[in-house]
């Protein structure tokens, strides 16, 4: 049985203490174990990163970038192996895992340009023979705590850029599917990353608590649910750390009467049900403006959902696979049932999919719920499953008010042919990422990812320009060399 441990100081370490089973979510069968890092082992990882920091900080930026270029090549070379690990532990269909990896590699590409990105500003003669410039210096040891739903992509949002900026890193991936994160970190070492620059601890709250409180850790990046994100942010900042904590979402798609309904239906299919809805950018609510729009949308979705292919990752033709655990499957099923009991109309019921050979897997089929209202649990909570709720609105302002009133403000989108409506929507909606006729407006690597309201705790978003600022601190230097030919008298006024 496969045993997953840690990567500390360039060496593979297997704990002898607590363990957690690693189950294949498509079968429910155990295929390995993960050894959970103790507080002591987590401190060992931090110590290894601290020891590696002085030499890595002094490494020329161009050499750090060369490691990132080689790392990118290693990721592409081993893409199939990475995707197999993701599929086995997370349940993603291979084509979905491949898409995740591609978006992660884009962030490595961005990190390759660190020598350009880290250029400071220079001003000559800001005063008599006085020059001033700024530079962006690394923080030291930084940490990342990442979720189960993107075991490759989200870590690649963090440590490539942090490391390219001269920091050293401790990664705590999800204990539900850690194998891909460990494997990818080993590829970074194969690309020439010195021992201790990148460390990985497979663990749970015990490891997290150390990362949030150890004085050697200067900054923490987190992606996960909102309650945990808020707790991480509060604890980390209380201990004097810089923190960006990305939380949950309830992403609304608004469909206007003038929209291309067929295009909107096709867009909703992938945005709502892709990766079993286990995406923080999934569309879980579609707001139809007008009864006719709603009826056409529901009819189109119902028709398309009849051909959804659900099953294990062994068949790449499947559209999506299982949920991550039996407990999460039960939670999703309970939220579907609550909608029915609260008066919503269940158009397509995915609570009991018939999947011969995968009866013990953690599957929920695509589910469509109409006549949903704001007071229902299925609307208020982040479901994180293949469930799409339909809310009906009379006009655009009413639809936008639904988005603005919700506690989450991660992403949203509008389907319309009206440029004026699109501009009004994008200017005024209270969400961090906005799409116009694009259902998943996930920014590319050279922009930044982050929501508003209770979807993000902290001042800077993930990756891109905000990531660069998060993993560095500005230093401004003002300099003058005394002249043998010019002597100034003392001055007691502010210059």
């Amino acid at each position: 049985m496969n045993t997953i441990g840690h990567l500390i100081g360039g060496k593979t370490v297997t704990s002898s203490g607590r363990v957690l089973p690693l189950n294949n979510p498509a079968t429910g069968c155990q295929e390995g174990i993960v050894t959970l890092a103790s507080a002591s082992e987590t401190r060992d990882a931090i110590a290894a990163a601290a020891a590696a920091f002085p030499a890595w900080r002094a490494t020329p930026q161009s050499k750090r970038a060369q490691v990132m270029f080689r790392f990118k090549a290693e990721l592409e070379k081993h893409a199939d192996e990475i995707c197999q690990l993701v599929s086995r532990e997370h349940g993603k269909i291979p084509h979905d895992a491949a898409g995740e990896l591609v978006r992660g590699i884009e962030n490595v590409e961005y990190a390759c340009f660190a020598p350009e990105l880290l250029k400071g500003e220079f001003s000559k003669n800001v005063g008599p023979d006085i020059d001033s410039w700024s530079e962006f210096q690394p923080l030291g040891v930084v940490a990342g705590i990442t979720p189960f739903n993107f075991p490759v992509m989200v870590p690649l949002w963090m440590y490539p850029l942090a490391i390219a900026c001269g920091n050293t890193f401790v990664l705590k991936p999800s204990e539900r599917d850690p194998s891909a994160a460990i494997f990818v970190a080993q590829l970074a070492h194969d690309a020439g990353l010195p021992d201790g620059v990148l460390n990985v601890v497979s663990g749970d709250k015990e490891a997290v608590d150390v990362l949030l409180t150890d004085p050697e850790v200067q900054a923490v990046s987190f992606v996960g649910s909102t309650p945990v994100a808020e707790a991480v942010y509060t604890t980390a900042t209380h201990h004097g750390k810089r923190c960006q904590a990305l939380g949950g979402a309830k992403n609304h798609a608004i469909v206007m009467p003038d929209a291309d309904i067929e295009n909107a239906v096709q867009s909703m299919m992938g945005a709502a049900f892709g990766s079993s809805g286990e995406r923080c950018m999934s569309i879980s609510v579609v707001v139809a403006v007008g009864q006719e729009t709603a009826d056409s949308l529901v009819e189109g979705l119902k028709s398309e959902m009849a051909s959804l292919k659900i099953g294990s990752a062994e068949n790449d033709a499947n559209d999506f696979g299982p949920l991550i655990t039996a407990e999460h499957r039960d939670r999703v099923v309970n939220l579907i049932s609550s909608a029915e009991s609260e008066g919503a109309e269940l158009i397509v019921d995915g609570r009991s999919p018939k999947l011969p050979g995968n009866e013990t897997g953690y599957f929920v089929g695509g589910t469509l719920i109409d006549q949903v209202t704001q007071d229902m649990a299925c609307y208020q909570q982040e479901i994180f499953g293949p469930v799409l709720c339909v809310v009906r609105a009379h006009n655009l302002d009413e639809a936008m008010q639904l988005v603005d009133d919700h506690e989450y403000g991660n992403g949203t989108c509008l389907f319309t042919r009206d440029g004026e409506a699109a501009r009004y929507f994008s200017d005024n909606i209270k969400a961090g990422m906005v799409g116009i006729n694009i259902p998943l407006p996930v920014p590319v690597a050279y922009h930044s990812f982050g929501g508003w309201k209770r979807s993000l705790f902290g001042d800077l978003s993930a990756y891109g320009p905000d990531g660069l600022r998060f993993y560095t601190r500005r230093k401004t230097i003002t300099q003058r060399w005394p002249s043998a030919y010019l002597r100034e008298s003392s001055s007691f006024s502010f210059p």
Side-chain angles (χ1 to χ4, degrees), residues 348-397:
V348 180
D349 187 350
R351 287 176 289 186
S352 301
K354 307 301 181 191
L355 300 171
N358 290 111
E359 292 85 357
T360 56
Y362 312 140
F363 290 92
V364 174
T367 299
L368 180 63
I369 309 173
D370 193 10
Q371 304 292 345
V372 172
T373 57
Q374 284 179 281
D375 58 335
M376 295 179 181
C378 68
Y379 178 83
Q380 294 173 351
Q381 297 183 32
E382 182 180 28
I383 299 177
F384 226 56
V387 181
L388 181 59
C389 298
V390 179
V391 178
R392 296 172 181 241
H394 294 97
N395 51 53
L396 178 58
D397 285 335

Side-chain angles (χ1 to χ4, degrees), residues 6-146:
H6 326 292
L7 187 65
I8 299 175
K11 297 180 175 60
T12 301
V13 177
T14 302
S15 303
S16 57
R18 298 175 303 128
V19 300
L20 191 72
L22 291 174
N23 295 340
N24 183 330
T27 63
C29 297
Q30 183 176 345
E31 295 192 354
I33 59 172
V34 55
T35 62
L36 301 176
S38 65
S40 175
E41 288 163 332
T42 306
R43 292 190 187 97
D44 288 344
I46 295 170
F53 174 63
W56 183 245
R57 177 190 181 185
T59 300
Q61 296 171 5
S62 60
K63 291 190 175 181
R64 293 187 220 142
Q66 288 167 13
V67 175
M68 289 298 112
F69 275 111
R70 292 194 296 269
F71 182 36
K72 174 181 181 291
E74 288 291 321
L75 291 169
E76 293 169 338
K77 178 182 176 182
H78 295 277
D80 288 344
E81 296 164 80
I82 296 169
C83 291
Q84 287 171 11
L85 290 173
V86 173
S87 293
R88 187 179 70 207
E89 289 184 357
H90 176 276
K92 279 187 183 179
I93 308 303
H95 59 74
D96 192 16
E100 170 186 349
L101 177 58
V102 168
R103 292 305 298 265
I105 289 174
E106 289 176 2
N107 287 275
V108 180
E109 292 171 345
Y110 185 75
C112 290
F113 290 92
E116 173 68 23
L117 301 171
L118 289 169
K119 283 182 178 178
E121 301 116 353
F122 184 88
S123 296
K124 189 176 179 66
N125 283 337
V126 297
D129 298 320
I130 299 174
D131 302 329
S132 185
W133 70 91
S134 64
E135 52 191 53
F136 301 102
Q137 296 188 349
L139 305 177
V141 178
V142 297
I145 303 164
T146 57

Side-chain angles (χ1 to χ4, degrees), residues 275-293:
S275 198
S276 301
E278 291 178 323
R279 297 170 176 160
C280 68
M281 285 298 285
S282 283
I283 294 297
S284 56
V285 178
V286 57
V287 184
V289 177
Q291 296 298 330
E292 185 176 339
T293 305

Side-chain angles (χ1 to χ4, degrees), residues 193-270:
L193 203 63
D195 293 346
V197 173
L198 174 61
N199 307 273
V200 184
V201 290
S202 301
D204 55 6
K205 188 177 184 299
E206 184 172 339
V208 169
D209 287 344
V210 174
L211 295 175
L212 298 181
T213 58
D214 191 290
E216 195 71 59
V217 177
Q218 303 300 304
V220 176
S221 298
F222 172 87
V223 177
S225 68
T226 285
V228 181
E230 186 172 24
V232 165
Y233 180 80
T234 301
T235 304
T237 54
H238 176 74
H239 285 85
K241 305 182 192 309
R242 185 178 291 186
C243 186
Q244 55 179 187
L246 282 68
K250 195 70 176 180
N251 305 312
H252 297 60
I254 298 174
V255 180
M256 296 293 288
D258 70 329
D260 182 334
I261 297 297
E262 184 177 347
N263 176 61
V265 166
Q266 295 298 328
S267 296
M268 290 305 104
M269 292 293 293

